[in-house]
Short mmCIF file of all heavy atoms in Angstrom, two decimals:
data_model
loop_
_atom_site.label_atom_id
_atom_site.label_comp_id
_atom_site.label_asym_id
_atom_site.label_seq_id
_atom_site.Cartn_x
_atom_site.Cartn_y
_atom_site.Cartn_z
N MET A 1 13.72 35.69 2.73
CA MET A 1 12.48 35.01 2.37
C MET A 1 12.32 33.78 3.27
O MET A 1 13.23 32.98 3.42
CB MET A 1 12.53 34.59 0.91
CG MET A 1 11.34 33.80 0.47
SD MET A 1 11.49 33.40 -1.29
CE MET A 1 10.18 32.28 -1.48
N ARG A 2 11.16 33.68 3.86
CA ARG A 2 10.87 32.51 4.69
C ARG A 2 9.92 31.60 3.92
O ARG A 2 9.05 32.06 3.20
CB ARG A 2 10.24 32.91 6.02
CG ARG A 2 11.18 33.74 6.87
CD ARG A 2 10.73 33.90 8.29
NE ARG A 2 9.33 34.24 8.45
CZ ARG A 2 8.72 34.28 9.63
NH1 ARG A 2 9.37 34.00 10.72
NH2 ARG A 2 7.46 34.59 9.72
N VAL A 3 10.11 30.33 4.11
CA VAL A 3 9.26 29.34 3.44
C VAL A 3 8.43 28.63 4.49
O VAL A 3 8.95 28.19 5.51
CB VAL A 3 10.12 28.32 2.67
CG1 VAL A 3 9.23 27.25 2.05
CG2 VAL A 3 10.95 29.03 1.60
N GLN A 4 7.15 28.54 4.25
CA GLN A 4 6.25 27.87 5.18
C GLN A 4 6.11 26.41 4.79
O GLN A 4 5.73 26.10 3.64
CB GLN A 4 4.88 28.53 5.20
CG GLN A 4 3.93 27.91 6.18
CD GLN A 4 2.62 28.66 6.27
OE1 GLN A 4 2.45 29.72 5.68
NE2 GLN A 4 1.69 28.12 7.02
N VAL A 5 6.42 25.52 5.70
CA VAL A 5 6.28 24.09 5.47
C VAL A 5 5.43 23.54 6.61
O VAL A 5 5.79 23.66 7.77
CB VAL A 5 7.64 23.38 5.46
CG1 VAL A 5 7.46 21.89 5.29
CG2 VAL A 5 8.52 23.96 4.38
N ASN A 6 4.29 22.99 6.26
CA ASN A 6 3.41 22.43 7.29
C ASN A 6 3.73 20.96 7.48
O ASN A 6 3.10 20.07 6.91
CB ASN A 6 1.94 22.63 6.91
CG ASN A 6 1.52 24.06 7.08
OD1 ASN A 6 1.78 24.66 8.11
ND2 ASN A 6 0.91 24.62 6.06
N ARG A 7 4.75 20.71 8.28
CA ARG A 7 5.17 19.35 8.61
C ARG A 7 5.55 19.32 10.08
O ARG A 7 5.95 20.33 10.65
CB ARG A 7 6.41 18.94 7.80
CG ARG A 7 6.19 18.87 6.30
CD ARG A 7 5.47 17.59 5.91
NE ARG A 7 5.06 17.60 4.53
CZ ARG A 7 5.76 17.04 3.55
NH1 ARG A 7 6.89 16.45 3.80
NH2 ARG A 7 5.32 17.08 2.32
N PHE A 8 5.46 18.15 10.67
CA PHE A 8 5.99 17.97 12.02
C PHE A 8 7.48 17.74 11.90
O PHE A 8 7.93 16.94 11.06
CB PHE A 8 5.35 16.76 12.70
CG PHE A 8 3.89 16.94 13.01
CD1 PHE A 8 2.93 16.30 12.26
CD2 PHE A 8 3.50 17.74 14.07
CE1 PHE A 8 1.58 16.46 12.55
CE2 PHE A 8 2.15 17.91 14.37
CZ PHE A 8 1.20 17.27 13.61
N LEU A 9 8.27 18.44 12.70
CA LEU A 9 9.70 18.16 12.75
C LEU A 9 9.88 17.00 13.70
O LEU A 9 9.34 17.01 14.80
CB LEU A 9 10.48 19.39 13.20
CG LEU A 9 10.34 20.59 12.26
CD1 LEU A 9 11.13 21.78 12.80
CD2 LEU A 9 10.80 20.23 10.86
N ALA A 10 10.61 16.00 13.27
CA ALA A 10 10.66 14.72 13.98
C ALA A 10 9.28 14.07 13.93
O ALA A 10 8.70 13.72 14.95
CB ALA A 10 11.15 14.87 15.41
N ALA A 11 8.75 13.94 12.73
CA ALA A 11 7.41 13.38 12.55
C ALA A 11 7.31 11.94 13.03
O ALA A 11 6.28 11.52 13.54
CB ALA A 11 7.02 13.45 11.08
N ASN A 12 8.39 11.18 12.87
CA ASN A 12 8.39 9.79 13.30
C ASN A 12 9.41 9.63 14.42
O ASN A 12 10.60 9.83 14.20
CB ASN A 12 8.73 8.87 12.12
CG ASN A 12 7.72 9.03 11.00
OD1 ASN A 12 6.53 8.88 11.21
ND2 ASN A 12 8.18 9.36 9.82
N VAL A 13 8.90 9.30 15.59
CA VAL A 13 9.78 9.18 16.75
C VAL A 13 9.57 7.82 17.41
O VAL A 13 8.52 7.20 17.27
CB VAL A 13 9.55 10.30 17.77
CG1 VAL A 13 9.86 11.66 17.17
CG2 VAL A 13 8.13 10.27 18.29
N VAL A 14 10.60 7.37 18.11
CA VAL A 14 10.54 6.13 18.88
C VAL A 14 10.73 6.48 20.35
O VAL A 14 11.67 7.19 20.69
CB VAL A 14 11.64 5.14 18.42
CG1 VAL A 14 11.58 3.86 19.25
CG2 VAL A 14 11.48 4.82 16.93
N VAL A 15 9.81 6.02 21.19
CA VAL A 15 9.88 6.30 22.62
C VAL A 15 9.72 4.99 23.39
O VAL A 15 9.39 3.95 22.82
CB VAL A 15 8.79 7.30 23.05
CG1 VAL A 15 8.94 8.62 22.31
CG2 VAL A 15 7.39 6.73 22.84
N GLU A 16 9.96 5.05 24.68
CA GLU A 16 9.79 3.90 25.56
C GLU A 16 8.42 3.98 26.24
O GLU A 16 7.87 5.07 26.43
CB GLU A 16 10.88 3.89 26.64
CG GLU A 16 12.30 3.88 26.08
CD GLU A 16 12.64 2.58 25.38
OE1 GLU A 16 12.17 1.52 25.83
OE2 GLU A 16 13.38 2.63 24.38
N VAL A 17 7.88 2.83 26.62
CA VAL A 17 6.62 2.81 27.38
C VAL A 17 6.81 3.68 28.63
O VAL A 17 7.82 3.58 29.32
CB VAL A 17 6.25 1.37 27.79
CG1 VAL A 17 5.07 1.37 28.76
CG2 VAL A 17 5.91 0.55 26.53
N GLY A 18 5.88 4.55 28.87
CA GLY A 18 5.93 5.47 30.01
C GLY A 18 6.43 6.86 29.63
O GLY A 18 6.28 7.79 30.42
N ASP A 19 7.02 7.00 28.44
CA ASP A 19 7.47 8.32 27.98
C ASP A 19 6.28 9.17 27.56
O ASP A 19 5.21 8.65 27.22
CB ASP A 19 8.42 8.19 26.80
CG ASP A 19 9.80 7.70 27.19
OD1 ASP A 19 10.10 7.66 28.40
OD2 ASP A 19 10.58 7.34 26.28
N SER A 20 6.51 10.48 27.56
CA SER A 20 5.51 11.43 27.07
C SER A 20 6.05 12.16 25.86
O SER A 20 7.25 12.39 25.75
CB SER A 20 5.15 12.44 28.16
OG SER A 20 4.53 11.80 29.24
N VAL A 21 5.15 12.53 24.97
CA VAL A 21 5.50 13.33 23.79
C VAL A 21 4.67 14.60 23.84
O VAL A 21 3.47 14.55 24.06
CB VAL A 21 5.21 12.55 22.49
CG1 VAL A 21 5.41 13.44 21.26
CG2 VAL A 21 6.09 11.31 22.41
N THR A 22 5.34 15.73 23.64
CA THR A 22 4.67 17.03 23.64
C THR A 22 4.74 17.65 22.25
O THR A 22 5.81 17.68 21.64
CB THR A 22 5.33 17.98 24.65
OG1 THR A 22 5.21 17.42 25.96
CG2 THR A 22 4.68 19.36 24.62
N PHE A 23 3.62 18.09 21.75
CA PHE A 23 3.57 18.83 20.50
C PHE A 23 3.75 20.29 20.86
O PHE A 23 2.86 20.93 21.39
CB PHE A 23 2.23 18.59 19.79
CG PHE A 23 2.10 17.18 19.29
CD1 PHE A 23 1.68 16.16 20.14
CD2 PHE A 23 2.41 16.87 17.98
CE1 PHE A 23 1.58 14.87 19.69
CE2 PHE A 23 2.30 15.57 17.52
CZ PHE A 23 1.89 14.57 18.38
N ASP A 24 4.96 20.82 20.59
CA ASP A 24 5.34 22.17 21.03
C ASP A 24 5.13 23.16 19.89
O ASP A 24 6.03 23.40 19.09
CB ASP A 24 6.79 22.15 21.48
CG ASP A 24 7.24 23.50 22.01
OD1 ASP A 24 6.39 24.41 22.13
OD2 ASP A 24 8.44 23.65 22.30
N MET A 25 3.96 23.72 19.83
CA MET A 25 3.66 24.67 18.75
C MET A 25 4.20 26.06 19.08
O MET A 25 4.14 26.96 18.25
CB MET A 25 2.16 24.72 18.48
CG MET A 25 1.62 23.42 17.93
SD MET A 25 2.48 22.93 16.41
CE MET A 25 1.92 21.26 16.23
N ALA A 26 4.74 26.28 20.26
CA ALA A 26 5.33 27.57 20.60
C ALA A 26 6.55 27.85 19.73
O ALA A 26 6.94 28.99 19.55
CB ALA A 26 5.72 27.61 22.07
N ARG A 27 7.17 26.79 19.21
CA ARG A 27 8.34 26.95 18.34
C ARG A 27 7.95 27.07 16.88
O ARG A 27 8.80 27.07 16.01
CB ARG A 27 9.29 25.78 18.56
CG ARG A 27 9.84 25.75 19.97
CD ARG A 27 10.65 24.53 20.24
NE ARG A 27 11.77 24.45 19.30
CZ ARG A 27 12.58 23.41 19.20
NH1 ARG A 27 12.41 22.38 19.98
NH2 ARG A 27 13.55 23.40 18.33
N ASN A 28 6.65 27.16 16.62
CA ASN A 28 6.13 27.29 15.27
C ASN A 28 6.56 28.63 14.69
O ASN A 28 6.24 29.68 15.22
CB ASN A 28 4.60 27.18 15.33
CG ASN A 28 3.96 27.09 13.97
OD1 ASN A 28 4.64 27.14 12.95
ND2 ASN A 28 2.65 26.98 13.96
N ALA A 29 7.30 28.63 13.60
CA ALA A 29 7.80 29.86 13.00
C ALA A 29 6.67 30.71 12.41
O ALA A 29 6.79 31.91 12.31
CB ALA A 29 8.84 29.54 11.93
N PHE A 30 5.58 30.06 12.02
CA PHE A 30 4.44 30.77 11.45
C PHE A 30 3.25 30.53 12.36
O PHE A 30 2.89 29.38 12.61
CB PHE A 30 4.13 30.26 10.04
CG PHE A 30 5.22 30.58 9.05
CD1 PHE A 30 6.25 29.68 8.83
CD2 PHE A 30 5.20 31.77 8.35
CE1 PHE A 30 7.25 29.98 7.92
CE2 PHE A 30 6.19 32.07 7.44
CZ PHE A 30 7.22 31.18 7.23
N PRO A 31 2.63 31.58 12.86
CA PRO A 31 1.54 31.41 13.83
C PRO A 31 0.23 31.00 13.17
O PRO A 31 -0.70 31.77 13.08
CB PRO A 31 1.44 32.78 14.48
CG PRO A 31 1.89 33.72 13.40
CD PRO A 31 2.96 32.98 12.62
N VAL A 32 0.18 29.77 12.69
CA VAL A 32 -1.05 29.23 12.13
C VAL A 32 -1.54 28.12 13.06
O VAL A 32 -0.75 27.47 13.72
CB VAL A 32 -0.85 28.66 10.70
CG1 VAL A 32 -0.47 29.78 9.75
CG2 VAL A 32 0.19 27.57 10.68
N PRO A 33 -2.85 27.91 13.13
CA PRO A 33 -3.38 26.90 14.03
C PRO A 33 -3.10 25.48 13.53
O PRO A 33 -2.99 25.23 12.34
CB PRO A 33 -4.88 27.18 14.05
CG PRO A 33 -5.14 27.84 12.73
CD PRO A 33 -3.89 28.62 12.40
N HIS A 34 -2.97 24.56 14.49
CA HIS A 34 -2.82 23.13 14.21
C HIS A 34 -3.71 22.37 15.18
O HIS A 34 -4.10 22.90 16.22
CB HIS A 34 -1.37 22.69 14.39
CG HIS A 34 -0.42 23.42 13.50
ND1 HIS A 34 -0.30 23.16 12.15
CD2 HIS A 34 0.46 24.42 13.77
CE1 HIS A 34 0.61 23.97 11.63
NE2 HIS A 34 1.08 24.75 12.59
N THR A 35 -4.02 21.14 14.86
CA THR A 35 -4.91 20.37 15.73
C THR A 35 -4.16 19.37 16.62
O THR A 35 -4.79 18.74 17.45
CB THR A 35 -5.97 19.61 14.91
OG1 THR A 35 -5.32 18.71 14.03
CG2 THR A 35 -6.85 20.57 14.12
N SER A 36 -2.88 19.18 16.41
CA SER A 36 -2.10 18.29 17.27
C SER A 36 -1.30 19.16 18.24
O SER A 36 -0.19 19.57 17.96
CB SER A 36 -1.14 17.43 16.45
OG SER A 36 -1.87 16.57 15.62
N THR A 37 -1.93 19.50 19.35
CA THR A 37 -1.29 20.41 20.31
C THR A 37 -1.54 19.88 21.72
O THR A 37 -2.43 20.35 22.42
CB THR A 37 -1.87 21.82 20.18
OG1 THR A 37 -3.28 21.74 20.33
CG2 THR A 37 -1.55 22.43 18.83
N PHE A 38 -0.78 18.88 22.11
CA PHE A 38 -1.02 18.28 23.42
C PHE A 38 0.21 17.53 23.86
O PHE A 38 1.16 17.34 23.11
CB PHE A 38 -2.21 17.33 23.37
CG PHE A 38 -2.06 16.24 22.33
CD1 PHE A 38 -1.39 15.06 22.63
CD2 PHE A 38 -2.58 16.40 21.06
CE1 PHE A 38 -1.24 14.07 21.67
CE2 PHE A 38 -2.45 15.43 20.09
CZ PHE A 38 -1.78 14.25 20.41
N THR A 39 0.19 17.09 25.10
CA THR A 39 1.19 16.15 25.61
C THR A 39 0.47 14.84 25.85
O THR A 39 -0.61 14.81 26.45
CB THR A 39 1.81 16.65 26.93
OG1 THR A 39 2.51 17.87 26.67
CG2 THR A 39 2.77 15.62 27.50
N MET A 40 1.07 13.76 25.38
CA MET A 40 0.46 12.44 25.55
C MET A 40 1.48 11.48 26.14
O MET A 40 2.62 11.42 25.67
CB MET A 40 -0.03 11.91 24.21
CG MET A 40 -0.76 10.61 24.33
SD MET A 40 -1.69 10.28 22.82
CE MET A 40 -2.42 8.73 23.27
N LYS A 41 1.05 10.77 27.18
CA LYS A 41 1.89 9.75 27.79
C LYS A 41 1.50 8.40 27.19
O LYS A 41 0.31 8.06 27.14
CB LYS A 41 1.72 9.72 29.30
CG LYS A 41 2.62 8.72 29.99
CD LYS A 41 2.51 8.82 31.51
CE LYS A 41 3.48 7.86 32.18
NZ LYS A 41 3.46 8.02 33.64
N PHE A 42 2.51 7.64 26.75
CA PHE A 42 2.27 6.35 26.11
C PHE A 42 2.50 5.24 27.13
O PHE A 42 3.59 5.09 27.65
CB PHE A 42 3.17 6.20 24.88
CG PHE A 42 2.82 7.17 23.80
CD1 PHE A 42 3.44 8.41 23.73
CD2 PHE A 42 1.85 6.86 22.87
CE1 PHE A 42 3.10 9.32 22.73
CE2 PHE A 42 1.49 7.77 21.87
CZ PHE A 42 2.12 9.00 21.81
N THR A 43 1.45 4.50 27.42
CA THR A 43 1.51 3.50 28.47
C THR A 43 1.55 2.06 27.95
O THR A 43 1.64 1.13 28.75
CB THR A 43 0.29 3.65 29.41
OG1 THR A 43 -0.91 3.50 28.63
CG2 THR A 43 0.28 5.01 30.10
N LYS A 44 1.45 1.89 26.64
CA LYS A 44 1.49 0.56 26.04
C LYS A 44 2.37 0.59 24.79
O LYS A 44 2.42 1.59 24.09
CB LYS A 44 0.09 0.08 25.64
CG LYS A 44 -0.86 -0.11 26.80
CD LYS A 44 -2.21 -0.59 26.31
CE LYS A 44 -3.17 -0.75 27.47
NZ LYS A 44 -4.51 -1.15 27.02
N ALA A 45 3.01 -0.53 24.50
CA ALA A 45 3.82 -0.64 23.28
C ALA A 45 2.90 -0.67 22.06
O ALA A 45 1.78 -1.17 22.13
CB ALA A 45 4.67 -1.90 23.33
N GLY A 46 3.40 -0.12 20.97
CA GLY A 46 2.64 -0.11 19.73
C GLY A 46 2.99 1.11 18.90
O GLY A 46 3.95 1.80 19.17
N THR A 47 2.19 1.34 17.88
CA THR A 47 2.40 2.49 16.99
C THR A 47 1.17 3.36 17.01
O THR A 47 0.05 2.87 16.84
CB THR A 47 2.70 2.02 15.56
OG1 THR A 47 3.88 1.22 15.57
CG2 THR A 47 2.90 3.21 14.63
N CYS A 48 1.38 4.65 17.22
CA CYS A 48 0.28 5.63 17.25
C CYS A 48 0.50 6.61 16.10
O CYS A 48 1.50 7.32 16.06
CB CYS A 48 0.28 6.36 18.59
SG CYS A 48 -0.97 7.65 18.68
N SER A 49 -0.43 6.62 15.17
CA SER A 49 -0.38 7.60 14.09
C SER A 49 -1.11 8.86 14.53
O SER A 49 -2.10 8.79 15.26
CB SER A 49 -1.05 7.04 12.83
OG SER A 49 -0.35 5.90 12.38
N TYR A 50 -0.60 10.01 14.08
CA TYR A 50 -1.26 11.26 14.42
C TYR A 50 -1.26 12.18 13.20
O TYR A 50 -0.49 11.97 12.25
CB TYR A 50 -0.61 11.93 15.63
CG TYR A 50 0.83 12.30 15.41
CD1 TYR A 50 1.16 13.56 14.91
CD2 TYR A 50 1.84 11.42 15.70
CE1 TYR A 50 2.49 13.91 14.73
CE2 TYR A 50 3.17 11.76 15.50
CZ TYR A 50 3.48 13.01 15.02
OH TYR A 50 4.78 13.36 14.81
N VAL A 51 -2.12 13.16 13.22
CA VAL A 51 -2.29 14.03 12.06
C VAL A 51 -2.79 15.40 12.53
O VAL A 51 -3.51 15.50 13.53
CB VAL A 51 -3.29 13.39 11.07
CG1 VAL A 51 -4.65 13.19 11.72
CG2 VAL A 51 -3.41 14.21 9.81
N CYS A 52 -2.39 16.42 11.83
CA CYS A 52 -3.01 17.74 11.98
C CYS A 52 -4.17 17.75 10.99
O CYS A 52 -3.95 17.63 9.77
CB CYS A 52 -2.02 18.86 11.68
SG CYS A 52 -2.82 20.48 11.59
N LEU A 53 -5.38 17.87 11.48
CA LEU A 53 -6.55 17.77 10.61
C LEU A 53 -6.61 18.90 9.58
O LEU A 53 -7.18 18.73 8.50
CB LEU A 53 -7.83 17.76 11.45
CG LEU A 53 -7.99 16.54 12.36
CD1 LEU A 53 -9.23 16.69 13.23
CD2 LEU A 53 -8.06 15.26 11.55
N ILE A 54 -5.99 20.01 9.89
CA ILE A 54 -6.00 21.15 8.96
C ILE A 54 -5.02 20.94 7.81
O ILE A 54 -5.31 21.27 6.66
CB ILE A 54 -5.65 22.45 9.71
CG1 ILE A 54 -6.68 22.71 10.81
CG2 ILE A 54 -5.55 23.64 8.74
CD1 ILE A 54 -6.29 23.81 11.78
N HIS A 55 -3.86 20.35 8.11
CA HIS A 55 -2.79 20.26 7.11
C HIS A 55 -2.43 18.83 6.72
O HIS A 55 -1.34 18.60 6.18
CB HIS A 55 -1.54 20.97 7.65
CG HIS A 55 -1.78 22.40 8.02
ND1 HIS A 55 -1.75 22.86 9.33
CD2 HIS A 55 -2.10 23.46 7.24
CE1 HIS A 55 -2.02 24.16 9.33
NE2 HIS A 55 -2.24 24.55 8.09
N ALA A 56 -3.31 17.90 6.94
CA ALA A 56 -3.01 16.51 6.60
C ALA A 56 -2.71 16.35 5.12
O ALA A 56 -1.80 15.61 4.73
CB ALA A 56 -4.18 15.61 6.99
N GLY A 57 -3.42 17.07 4.28
CA GLY A 57 -3.21 17.00 2.84
C GLY A 57 -1.87 17.53 2.39
O GLY A 57 -1.40 17.25 1.30
N MET A 58 -1.23 18.31 3.27
CA MET A 58 0.10 18.86 2.98
C MET A 58 1.19 17.98 3.57
O MET A 58 2.36 18.35 3.55
CB MET A 58 0.20 20.28 3.53
CG MET A 58 -0.83 21.22 2.93
SD MET A 58 -0.84 22.85 3.69
CE MET A 58 0.56 23.58 2.88
N GLY A 59 0.78 16.84 4.16
CA GLY A 59 1.77 15.91 4.72
C GLY A 59 2.06 16.11 6.18
O GLY A 59 3.06 15.59 6.69
N MET A 60 1.21 16.82 6.90
CA MET A 60 1.46 17.05 8.32
C MET A 60 0.90 15.86 9.11
O MET A 60 -0.16 15.93 9.73
CB MET A 60 0.84 18.37 8.78
CG MET A 60 1.40 18.89 10.08
SD MET A 60 0.94 20.58 10.40
CE MET A 60 1.88 20.84 11.88
N VAL A 61 1.65 14.76 9.03
CA VAL A 61 1.28 13.51 9.67
C VAL A 61 2.53 12.91 10.30
O VAL A 61 3.65 13.31 9.99
CB VAL A 61 0.70 12.51 8.65
CG1 VAL A 61 -0.56 13.07 8.00
CG2 VAL A 61 1.72 12.17 7.58
N GLY A 62 2.35 11.95 11.18
CA GLY A 62 3.50 11.30 11.79
C GLY A 62 3.10 10.07 12.58
O GLY A 62 1.91 9.71 12.64
N GLN A 63 4.10 9.44 13.17
CA GLN A 63 3.87 8.25 13.97
C GLN A 63 4.78 8.27 15.20
O GLN A 63 5.93 8.72 15.12
CB GLN A 63 4.19 6.98 13.19
CG GLN A 63 3.20 6.63 12.13
CD GLN A 63 3.48 5.27 11.52
OE1 GLN A 63 4.62 4.83 11.41
NE2 GLN A 63 2.43 4.58 11.13
N VAL A 64 4.25 7.77 16.29
CA VAL A 64 5.05 7.52 17.49
C VAL A 64 5.09 6.02 17.69
O VAL A 64 4.05 5.38 17.81
CB VAL A 64 4.43 8.20 18.74
CG1 VAL A 64 5.24 7.87 19.99
CG2 VAL A 64 4.34 9.71 18.53
N VAL A 65 6.29 5.46 17.66
CA VAL A 65 6.48 4.03 17.92
C VAL A 65 6.88 3.90 19.38
O VAL A 65 7.87 4.49 19.82
CB VAL A 65 7.54 3.43 16.99
CG1 VAL A 65 7.78 1.96 17.35
CG2 VAL A 65 7.12 3.56 15.54
N VAL A 66 6.10 3.12 20.13
CA VAL A 66 6.35 2.93 21.55
C VAL A 66 6.89 1.53 21.76
O VAL A 66 6.23 0.55 21.40
CB VAL A 66 5.05 3.15 22.37
CG1 VAL A 66 5.33 3.08 23.85
CG2 VAL A 66 4.38 4.47 22.00
N GLN A 67 8.08 1.46 22.33
CA GLN A 67 8.72 0.15 22.54
C GLN A 67 8.64 -0.26 23.99
O GLN A 67 8.70 0.54 24.88
CB GLN A 67 10.19 0.21 22.12
CG GLN A 67 10.37 0.53 20.66
CD GLN A 67 11.82 0.62 20.26
OE1 GLN A 67 12.69 0.89 21.08
NE2 GLN A 67 12.10 0.38 19.00
CU1 CU B 101 -1.23 21.85 11.00
#
């Protein structure tokens, strides 16, 4: 039996200025669509919140802290 959980694995991450974060949905065990599917380079320090618009109500949210 497989259980479907709509969450980001490593939802809260800390990166350095200049690092990139990739949302790798190819490793998604269940082929359902998500809206956070990109690579983003962080060029300034701060906190970036992100969300899957489809599954936000299920807790599919996270933050990238850029130091
Ligand atoms: Cu989603």
Side-chain angles (χ1 to χ4, degrees):
M1 176 179 171
R2 296 193 315 173
V3 177
Q4 182 175 354
V5 178
N6 287 312
R7 296 282 171 96
F8 292 105
L9 299 179
N12 300 305
V13 297
V14 178
V15 300
E16 303 292 325
V17 171
D19 286 348
S20 295
V21 173
T22 299
F23 291 83
D24 182 7
M25 294 303 168
R27 296 174 58 187
N28 188 358
F30 294 90
V32 296
H34 301 284
T35 61
S36 296
T37 55
F38 57 86
T39 296
M40 184 164 181
K41 183 175 183 176
F42 294 91
T43 59
K44 295 181 182 177
T47 300
C48 177
S49 297
Y50 61 91
V51 60
C52 171
L53 295 175
I54 299 169
H55 303 112
M58 300 173 80
M60 198 167 185
V61 299
Q63 287 187 328
V64 177
V65 176
V66 185
Q67 298 179 336

